[in-house]
């Protein structure tokens, strides 16, 4: 008795696809389905019929080409290996998958719903289609199957070992983590910790020039990640670059909270971290005004603190730099799919009064924004093919996650992402005082990355309307190429990528870009020129770290950055 040919069933399957009744059970849940915000979704029957007809026609042509031994075009890097074209069934499988994915995306585009609901549907469909790629399964991946044969099963053995090791770690390995050690071959710029409390260590870096500017630079990195993304290697370290440009650099190294710190709040981060760091740098340097830089959520924290200080009549900074930071959360891009009243309330119920937003949850969330690159690529390589991930410092940093205190995180979610209160003067209360960003009166350099999916550049550009509103000429906006991290970490020495500038102020984001001038290379020299204008005269560099009151505690990068989540 012969086994049935699975390909023989395809004509019957195609006939079912041509039958509208076959689709009714799938479409019924989408018709006026209730959603958390009371909205509903629907698809125009005429548009659906058109898509169904086009799908059936495309599938029929694909099947005819397969029967005629004509290889389909697989314009997707997941199916770029020769093994996919060498096997007719594998080629058909990949092409059918791509066709199905296009059909589902077309259905998503045809959905009638609010923009927020539609984006959630699009995100969910994309997660599903990415996960179901035949490249992700041994039984449908000819490349992995060939390696299994060539290695006589060793690739499968190694892959299972890799998978079990990752299961013990609770995450997918993206790089050879044994190749790096913080303080040894990443985060190596010389310096010392000159202050610490429960929330942060303050690092002062050693001068590399014979003279330095009198006003120091304070860097506030994001507390969601480790600071050493700004100090990976000497040749791509923004910290070292600033030191080499003649600035005395101080940097906040955040704690990695454990359960005992699960009750910390946003007010704690402002009072005991941002405000304290500013004050300590002022005292050590003897300068009433310093320069300050905030990166990502570090920029949100720093700007909140500065708004309070300026409202109190103080002028603690000569300039402010914001790198890929939100002050106006109107356009938060793809992250918006995670933000609504239901989800925020659930987080508040879980950890709002105490507990941790764990680093592994952050890592999973950010990986889901680019699943093919940050999840399935490694499933295929590490597990199906049994390969060991290569050593890559940026991915080592990416896997070195941090926790956040639950109350602080939930407050940030509700007041910034959900309610967008920071953009409204006086609406937000921090330390019992109203926050008004327009009170910050200082020249400001605002950088955004054009392909940033975490802080879309239009959202970063919106800061120009909130800072120095009566003097927009004080704001300098620069747009760089690439994404959230690669755009920022673009050292001048490598002369890569490009950036855009425009001298005209008070334009909309799109008008700004239309009138902007494109420049080759890194934006770092542009920022350096801005910073030097506000850094004061040249003086001899400090002879020692800290001062009589703030004595060195330990060498940089300190203990806090080495604490694992």
């Amino acid at each position: 008795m012969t086994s049935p040919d699975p390909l023989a069933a395809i004509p019957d399957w195609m006939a079912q696809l041509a039958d509208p009744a076959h689709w009714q059970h799938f479409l019924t849940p989408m018709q006026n389905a209730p959603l958390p915000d009371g909205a509903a979704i629907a698809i125009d029957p005429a548009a659906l019929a058109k898509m169904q007809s086009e799908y059936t026609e495309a599938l029929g042509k694909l099947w005819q080409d397969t029967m005629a031994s004509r290889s389909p075009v697989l314009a997707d890097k997941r199916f770029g290996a020769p093994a996919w074209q060498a096997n007719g069934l594998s080629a058909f499988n990949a092409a059918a998958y791509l066709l199905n994915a296009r059909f589902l995306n077309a259905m998503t585009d045809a959905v009638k719903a609010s923009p927020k609901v539609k984006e959630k549907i699009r995100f969910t469909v994309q997660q599903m289609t990415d996960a179901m790629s035949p490249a992700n399964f041994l039984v449908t991946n000819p490349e992995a199957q060939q390696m299994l044969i060539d290695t006589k099963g060793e690739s499968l053995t190694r892959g299972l070992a890799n998978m079990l090791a990752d299961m013990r770690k609770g995450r997918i390995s993206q790089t050879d983590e044994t190749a790096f050690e913080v303080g040894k071959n990443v985060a190596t710029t010389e310096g010392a910790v000159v202050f610490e409390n429960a929330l942060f260590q303050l690092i002062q870096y050693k001068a590399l020039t014979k003279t330095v500017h009198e006003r120091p630079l304070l860097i506030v990195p994001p507390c969601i990640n480790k600071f050493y993304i700004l100090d990976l290697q000497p040749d791509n370290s923004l910290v070292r670059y600033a030191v080499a440009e003649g600035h005395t650099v101080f940097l906040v190294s955040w704690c990695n909270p454990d359960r005992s710190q699960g009750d910390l709040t946003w007010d704690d981060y402002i009072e005991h971290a941002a405000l304290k760091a500013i004050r300590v740098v002022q005292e050590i340097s003897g300068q009433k005004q310093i320069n300050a830089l905030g990166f990502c959520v570090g920029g949100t924290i720093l700007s909140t603190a500065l708004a309070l200080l300026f409202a109190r009549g103080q002028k603690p900074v000569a300039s402010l730099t914001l790198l890929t930071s939100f002050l106006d959360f109107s356009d938060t891009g793809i992250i918006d799919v995670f933000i609504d009243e239901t989800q925020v309330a659930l987080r508040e119920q879980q950890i709002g009064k105490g507990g941790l937003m764990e680093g592994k949850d952050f890592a999973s969330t950010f990986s889901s924004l680019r699943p093919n690159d940050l999840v399935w690529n490694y499933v295929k390589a590490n597990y199906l093919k049994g390969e060991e991930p290569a050593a890559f410092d940026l991915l080592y940093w990416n896997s070195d996650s941090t926790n956040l205190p639950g109350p602080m995180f939930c407050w940030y979610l509700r007041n910034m992402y959900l309610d967008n209160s920071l953009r409204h003067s006086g609406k937000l209360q921090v330390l019992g005082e109203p926050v008004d960003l327009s009170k910050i009166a200082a020249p400001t350099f605002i950088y955004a990355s054009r392909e940033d999916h975490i802080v879309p550049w239009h959202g970063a550009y919106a800061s120009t309307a909130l800072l120095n509103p009566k003097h927009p000429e004080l704001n300098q906006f620069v747009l760089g190429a690439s994404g959230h991290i690669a755009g920022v970490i673009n050292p001048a020495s490598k002369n890569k990528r490009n950036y855009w500038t425009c001298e005209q102020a008070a334009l909309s984001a799109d008008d700004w870009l239309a009138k902007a001038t494109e420049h080759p290379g890194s934006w770092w020299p542009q920022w350096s020129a801005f910073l030097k204008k506000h850094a004061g005269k040249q003086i001899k560099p400090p002879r020692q770290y800290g001062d009589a009151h703030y004595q060195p505690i330990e060498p940089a990068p300190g203990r806090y950055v080495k604490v694992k989540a």
Side-chain angles (χ1 to χ4, degrees):
M1 181 177 180
T2 59
S3 58
D5 181 0
L7 298 182
I10 291 181
D12 292 336
W13 175 40
M14 292 170 58
Q16 290 180 4
L17 293 175
D19 180 8
H22 178 74
W23 292 89
Q24 193 61 41
H25 73 282
F26 177 73
L27 297 171
T28 299
M30 300 186 71
Q31 301 293 330
N32 302 314
L35 294 162
D37 59 0
I41 61 176
I43 296 180
D44 179 21
L48 177 62
K50 184 175 183 292
M51 285 186 290
Q52 177 188 331
S53 175
E54 292 173 349
Y55 174 87
T56 305
E57 180 181 352
L59 184 61
K61 184 179 184 304
L62 174 61
W63 175 244
Q64 290 172 0
D65 289 344
T66 300
M67 291 294 96
S69 298
R70 291 191 292 266
S71 297
V73 176
L74 301 177
D76 190 299
K77 65 180 181 180
R78 290 173 290 179
F79 311 116
W84 288 96
Q85 292 286 4
N87 183 301
L89 181 57
S90 295
F92 173 83
N93 199 18
Y97 159 77
L98 293 174
L99 175 61
N100 290 333
R102 288 195 299 270
F103 175 71
L104 288 172
N105 287 330
M107 286 185 67
T108 301
D109 293 337
V111 165
K112 295 179 179 179
S114 69
K116 187 178 182 75
V117 170
K118 195 167 183 175
E119 190 59 38
K120 287 190 175 187
I121 296 171
R122 181 177 289 110
F123 177 80
T124 302
V125 168
Q126 193 63 53
Q127 295 295 308
M128 181 182 70
T129 55
D130 288 347
M132 294 306 295
S133 166
N136 300 338
F137 303 94
L138 181 59
V139 71
T140 51
N141 186 323
E143 186 182 3
Q145 293 168 3
Q146 187 60 52
M147 183 167 287
L148 176 64
I149 295 170
D150 293 343
T151 63
K152 299 180 180 179
E154 289 186 11
S155 63
L156 179 59
T157 301
R158 293 194 302 266
L160 288 172
N162 290 341
M163 184 178 68
L164 292 173
D166 284 354
M167 290 174 67
R168 287 191 290 270
K169 287 193 297 187
R171 54 184 168 80
I172 296 174
S173 295
Q174 298 176 333
T175 185
D176 178 7
E177 297 174 13
T178 65
F180 301 100
E181 182 180 340
V182 175
K184 184 177 180 181
N185 54 5
V186 292
T188 59
T189 300
E190 188 175 355
V193 175
V194 294
F195 173 82
E196 70 180 37
N197 61 19
L199 270 174
F200 76 103
Q201 288 187 313
L202 184 67
I203 299 172
Q204 179 182 355
Y205 290 96
K206 183 179 179 179
L208 295 174
T209 51
K210 292 182 179 180
T211 61
V212 297
H213 294 281
E214 63 178 343
R215 292 194 185 106
L217 170 66
L218 170 64
I219 298 177
V220 182
C223 51
I224 294 176
N225 306 105
K226 302 287 184 71
F227 80 80
Y228 63 89
I229 186 59
L230 299 173
D231 188 30
L232 278 176
Q233 304 292 337
D235 65 347
N236 66 3
S237 168
L238 183 63
V239 169
R240 186 179 180 85
Y241 176 79
V243 174
E245 290 290 291
H247 301 281
T248 301
V249 177
F250 293 81
L251 181 142
V252 169
S253 174
W254 296 101
C255 73
N256 198 342
D258 58 22
R259 297 290 173 185
S260 68
Q261 297 168 297
D263 59 348
L264 293 173
T265 65
W266 183 266
D267 280 12
D268 290 325
Y269 273 68
I270 299 301
E271 181 176 14
H272 302 299
L275 294 177
K276 184 64 176 178
I278 292 169
R279 186 160 59 250
V280 172
V281 173
Q282 288 174 318
E283 292 174 1
I284 291 176
S285 66
Q287 297 291 317
K288 290 184 178 179
Q289 284 193 319
I290 65 175
N291 293 301
L293 179 154
F295 178 20
C296 192
V297 66
T300 311
I301 291 172
L302 175 62
S303 299
T304 302
L306 290 177
L308 295 180
L309 291 176
F310 274 92
R312 295 172 185 175
Q314 302 177 39
K315 297 180 179 180
V317 294
S319 77
L320 170 63
T321 297
L322 298 176
L323 307 182
T324 60
S325 297
F326 276 136
L327 300 182
D328 183 336
F329 289 72
S330 299
D331 176 12
T332 57
I334 191 61
I335 289 180
D336 194 50
V337 302
F338 300 108
I339 309 296
D340 58 35
E341 177 61 37
T342 300
Q343 294 186 75
V344 173
L346 178 61
R347 285 292 183 190
E348 290 173 332
Q349 181 182 359
Q350 293 170 334
I351 58 174
K353 295 183 179 179
L356 293 177
M357 177 62 183
E358 296 188 8
K360 64 181 181 180
D361 293 331
F362 281 122
S364 297
T365 298
F366 289 129
S367 291
S368 72
L369 303 181
R370 293 170 52 205
N372 283 330
D373 292 332
L374 297 177
V375 178
W376 301 115
N377 176 53
Y378 297 101
V379 167
K380 181 178 73 172
N382 299 3
Y383 305 160
L384 302 189
K385 299 168 66 177
E387 297 174 346
E388 296 294 335
F392 188 14
D393 53 8
L394 191 148
L395 290 176
Y396 174 78
W397 165 83
N398 188 59
S399 66
D400 192 6
S401 56
T402 58
N403 303 320
L404 280 184
M408 177 269 192
F409 176 68
C410 290
W411 191 95
Y412 174 59
L413 276 186
R414 177 167 292 280
N415 289 278
M416 304 298 185
Y417 277 92
L418 187 62
D419 295 341
N420 196 16
S421 297
L422 185 60
R423 70 182 298 269
H424 300 288
S425 298
K427 181 179 179 180
L428 201 64
Q429 294 277 326
V430 174
L431 298 175
E433 303 172 44
V435 179
D436 184 353
L437 294 173
S438 68
K439 298 289 186 182
I440 301 174
T444 302
F445 184 99
I446 302 170
Y447 170 82
S449 294
R450 193 171 184 178
E451 287 83 41
D452 194 337
H453 59 288
I454 295 175
V455 180
W457 80 268
H458 285 77
Y461 182 86
S463 298
T464 61
L466 301 178
L467 300 170
N468 300 305
K470 296 181 179 179
H471 298 281
E473 69 278 4
L474 293 178
N475 297 328
Q476 181 177 347
F477 183 80
V478 173
L479 181 65
S482 197
H484 189 69
I485 297 300
V488 172
I489 309 305
N490 184 24
S493 60
K494 295 188 177 181
N495 197 32
K496 288 184 176 181
R497 305 189 182 97
N498 52 348
Y499 65 96
W500 293 262
T501 62
C502 179
E503 299 299 325
Q504 296 187 47
L507 299 170
S508 70
D510 291 330
D511 287 341
W512 182 94
L513 183 58
K515 296 179 180 180
T517 301
E518 184 176 351
H519 310 272
S522 169
W523 59 271
W524 286 14
Q526 191 87 10
W527 170 65
S528 179
F530 165 86
L531 196 59
K532 287 179 179 179
K533 291 179 183 178
H534 310 290
K537 65 183 180 181
Q538 295 282 337
I539 61 174
K540 291 183 178 180
R543 290 181 294 176
Q544 62 182 21
Y545 298 116
D547 62 10
H549 182 65
Y550 298 103
Q551 293 289 317
I553 297 171
E554 61 182 337
R559 306 184 317 279
Y560 286 16
V561 71
K562 298 178 181 180
V563 175
K564 299 294 183 180

